Every structure is written in structure tokens, then in C-alpha cells.
Amino acid sequence: MLAGKRVLLIVGGGIAAFKAVDVIRGLRAQGASVTPVLTKAGSEFVTPLTLSVLAGSKVYQDLFDLTEEIEMGHIELSRSADLVVVTPATADLLGKMANGLANDLASTLLMATDKPVLVAPAMNVRMWEHPATQRNVKLLKSDGVLFCGPVEGSMACGEFGFGRMSEPDEIIAAIGAALSEGPLKGKHVLVTSGPTHEPIDPVRYIANRSSGQQGSAIAAALVALGAHVTFVTGPADAPPPQGVTLVKVETAAEMKTAVEAALPADAAVFAAAVADWRVASASGSKIKKEAGKLPTLEFAENPDILKTVSHMSEGRPRLVVGFAAETDDVIANATAKRARKGCDWIVANDVSPATGIMGGSENAVTLITEHGSETWERMGKAEVAERLARKIAAALG
Ligand code: C5P
């Protein structure tokens, strides 16, 4: 997916530097080449040898190393890539970048480059919230620097809050989006996929037969068109696609929280088969089998994520797409569902057992929009996904 792309990857000094190793691995797995640059502080956390072996490249460390200047000057190095990535971007590096300081190889490359720059900040929550950092971030954003994170979470220093570096998958997805040439370049699309599992007790759950194939295929097709995709998936059989920001959930309630956290998005595709009900009070311990006694389960309604997002008064994605798995009167039922849910499009499919669609590799869909319905011929789930992704790209313009 990133075949032929060249990334200059600056590794700053912070405990999150270990994640740079996985970023390099992930980028290479997608066909990109990576040239690492290690700051002095960064070398306290990862060794040049580790980076060099994983990147399959020389690691650049010192501005005043004459051999390097003869091999490749710092100006040339800064421009030989398609994208410059800083991971982790420390408060110090952000400060230097925002204020035009260039006193080591990394900061000099960042000043000299004519290529887009993406930073993944990582620092203590107080440092992130400090007015100086926030001022620098604002300046850098107005200079066109791209940001991935930071996210909220627990930190190596024992504190909790914003400042934790994004996970390697997210950074790779952001790199993919920054390098994309497709019609969805710069667009953020949220996709839900797979079933949800609703616990009965710690070992038992209620589930459904969704394989997650169609959702995965849609996410992959959107990535191929250049979108930054956040993929929120329940426990699905289908592997998640590469190049997405992956959020794994179990229950409908967790899926709703993850969806809300992933917004804003330009479009949202709700392909998940969310359980309609959960067990009202799931047991905290395993329900014991007792001879002659059958447990009674009481259900509670799950939140309708599609309906909730479709009715958002602020921050609603411009295009909200729902799915309808129907077994009869597909068009009439799906048209009614579009109105009931308040979404823009409904992708309806006939999942009566005879079709073999649920869990199979093909799908026969009807797309319901405000203009009416169009029925597509039966085709592979990947083709359905590509066609839908092209339609989404056209709608987002
Ligand atoms: O109501 P029904 O489950 O048939 O609607 C299917 C559509 O609604 C799908 O797009 C599914 O992802 C979404 N949905 C949801 N939250 C629920 C139930 C369904 O987002 N609790």
C-alpha cells in the first residue's frame, strides 16, 4: 500500500521511542523504505543498531559527521523522502520546530525539508498542557505540520491524561493518509465492523454470525482511496485491514464509546452487526449449573449507534451510511430503516440463508439513498466495498 514511498523517520528522546521500532516494521511491511534519524536523547532509549537492522538502512545521528556529509548532505537527506515523520516528538523537538531552532541533525533536517512533516507527540500530561507546548502546537499546525495524537492514557511516569503517544498502527495509518494521492486524501472515515459480544457471565456471551468480511473490505477500499480510516471492530473472524487506526471492542456499549471518541469524521459507515440486546445484569462470576434449575436471562436494549450518530446536532459526519440485513421485502424494509435511523444511505442485503451471504464471500446489495434505490448485481464483498468507497469519495467531493 505504501510501496515505493520513502519516509525519513526522526526518533526523539522519550520512553515512547520503543514504539518507533514497530512503526518502522509496519512501514516496511507495506513496502515503504525508511531512513532513520536518531537524536542524541533518542539514543538513550533505542540503539542505532536496532533501528538500522529493522530499517535495513544507515541511521543518521550527527550533523557534523563528515562522512555522512560526503555521502549525503543534510539538505539532500531532508529532501530525499516523501514524508518526514517525528516519533516520538518531544516537547523539546516541538519547541525547536515551532521556533526555527536548528542545533542538531534532527532539527536541522526539519528546518531544511521541503516535504510534509508529521509528528506524533509524546510527553507528560503537564508538559503537553503547558501553555508553551500548546502555543507551539498551534504555531506548528498553522505552519501545516500534521499531527497524530497524542492520546489519553496512562504514562510511563505513572500519570494519566493526554500526552501518551499514539500506537504504531495509528501512526502508520496517519502516514498512509499523509502520503495518499487518492480522492479521499485528507478525509477521515469511521467504519464499524464485526459482531458484538454481550456477556452473560465472565465465560459466556451472546453473539451473532457476522464475520466482519464486508466491514474489513470497506475499510481496505477506503484506505486504498486515500482515506484515514478508524476501524472500530467487534470480535470478528476476518482480519482487520492494514493501514487503519484499529480500535477493538467487545460489546455494543464499548463500540458506542469508541465511535464517539473517534469523531469527528467526514463519513461514517456502520457495517457492524451490533447486538440489539444485552443481558441486563451480566453476572460477575460464572453462573453455576444446578440440576433441574434453568437460569433466566433478562435483556436490556443496547444503544443504537447508527441512530445516535445520525441524529447528532453537532459534529455529525457529512455522510452516514448504515447497513440493513433483511430476509424479506428488502427494499421496502431498508427504505423504512433509512428514515427510522436518520442516516443518509442504507446498504441493504438479503441475508436469507439460501443466499449464503452471511459469512460468505459474495454480497448482493441494494443502495438506498434520498434519490431512491439501486440494486447491484451479485458480486464479491471486495467489489461491493470498492464500489461503495468510490461512491463515498464522489459524495464527499
Ligand atoms: O436496526 P438494525 O440492527 O437492523 O440496523 C442495522 C444498522 O444499524 C447497521 O448499520 C448497524 O451497524 C447499525 N446498528 C447500530 N447500533 C445498534 C444496532 C444497529 O449502529 N445497536
Side-chain angles (χ1 to χ4, degrees):
M1 224 168 315
L2 292 172
K5 298 292 184 191
R6 296 159 308 168
V7 175
L8 186 71
L9 191 115
I10 297 173
V11 181
I15 189 70
F18 76 93
K19 292 186 188 171
V21 169
D22 281 334
V23 173
I24 294 176
R25 232 199 315 245
L27 288 173
R28 292 201 70 206
Q30 289 194 41
S33 65
V34 182
T35 306
V37 173
L38 185 58
T39 65
K40 192 161 180 300
S43 68
E44 300 288 336
F45 296 90
V46 284
T47 70
L49 185 62
T50 309
L51 297 183
S52 164
V53 169
L54 286 170
S57 153
K58 180 179 171 63
V59 175
Y60 293 84
Q61 287 181 271
D62 196 349
L63 184 57
F64 300 107
D65 184 333
L66 284 180
T67 333
E68 284 169 13
E69 285 296 309
I70 288 163
E71 263 176 47
M72 187 192 279
H74 64 270
I75 303 290
E76 198 185 330
L77 183 59
S78 76
R79 296 175 188 178
S80 60
D82 299 302
L83 180 72
V84 181
V85 177
V86 188
T87 169
T90 58
D92 176 64
L93 264 172
L94 292 179
K96 279 183 186 166
M97 287 172 73
N99 294 286
L101 301 181
N103 62 352
D104 62 4
L105 180 61
S107 51
T108 306
L109 293 172
L110 286 160
M111 280 283 277
T113 190
D114 58 354
K115 296 299 186 321
V117 176
L118 173 90
V119 296
M123 67 197 72
N124 167 272
V125 56
R126 298 273 164 269
M127 293 174 75
W128 174 252
E129 285 170 357
H130 195 283
T133 305
Q134 288 306 310
R135 222 170 21 242
N136 290 335
V137 168
K138 208 166 155 202
L139 272 174
L140 290 169
K141 283 188 175 168
S142 69
D143 287 347
V145 171
L146 304 165
F147 276 72
C148 176
V151 294
E152 196 176 29
S154 50
M155 298 175 186
C157 57
E159 287 189 49
F160 183 91
F162 274 95
R164 189 185 156 95
M165 191 166 91
S166 296
E167 292 305 315
D169 272 354
E170 280 172 68
I171 297 172
I172 293 166
I175 291 171
L179 286 170
S180 118
E181 314 287 347
L184 287 172
K185 179 180 169 66
K187 299 282 194 283
H188 179 212
V189 185
L190 170 68
V191 178
T192 70
S193 183
T196 63
H197 285 184
E198 307 298 331
I200 296 170
D201 66 19
V203 296
R204 305 181 179 96
Y205 58 84
I206 294 168
N208 61 64
R209 293 188 195 281
S210 165
S211 64
Q213 281 184 65
Q214 188 63 81
S216 272
I218 290 167
L222 291 163
V223 168
L225 294 188
H228 174 198
V229 174
T230 301
F231 187 65
V232 180
T233 178
D237 291 340
Q242 283 200 327
V244 298
T245 295
L246 179 63
V247 187
K248 288 184 175 175
V249 297
E250 292 263 336
T251 65
E254 286 171 14
M255 187 171 274
K256 181 167 180 277
T257 305
V259 162
E260 285 168 346
L263 293 175
D266 296 285
V269 182
F270 292 90
V274 185
D276 293 314
W277 314 284
R278 66 180 179 279
V279 176
S281 46
S283 170
S285 51
K286 188 183 168 197
I287 301 170
K288 289 268 176 280
K289 188 166 85 174
E290 282 178 49
K293 238 181 119 185
L294 296 176
T296 308
L297 297 180
E298 227 177 90
F299 288 94
E301 208 172 317
N302 266 334
D304 191 321
I305 309 166
L306 170 64
K307 198 168 175 182
T308 308
V309 171
S310 296
H311 285 94
M312 282 171 65
S313 53
E314 237 175 80
R316 181 193 191 272
R318 235 184 329 138
L319 181 69
V320 178
V321 183
F323 272 70
E326 305 286 351
T327 50
D328 49 347
D329 288 337
V330 176
I331 295 181
N333 284 333
T335 304
K337 186 167 288 181
R338 179 181 169 272
R340 206 165 54 240
K341 301 269 190 178
C343 57
D344 302 297
W345 297 354
I346 282 274
V347 181
N349 45 3
D350 184 349
V351 292
S352 17
T355 64
I357 283 172
M358 201 88 172
S361 61
E362 289 193 334
N363 210 347
V365 313
T366 299
L367 181 67
I368 316 272
T369 69
E370 57 176 320
H371 305 299
S373 69
E374 58 179 81
T375 298
W376 300 352
E377 63 278 15
R378 191 172 167 130
M379 56 179 96
K381 286 184 177 171
E383 285 168 279
V384 168
E386 280 157 28
R387 195 147 158 185
L388 185 65
R390 281 198 302 275
K391 282 212 168 265
I392 290 172
L396 293 181

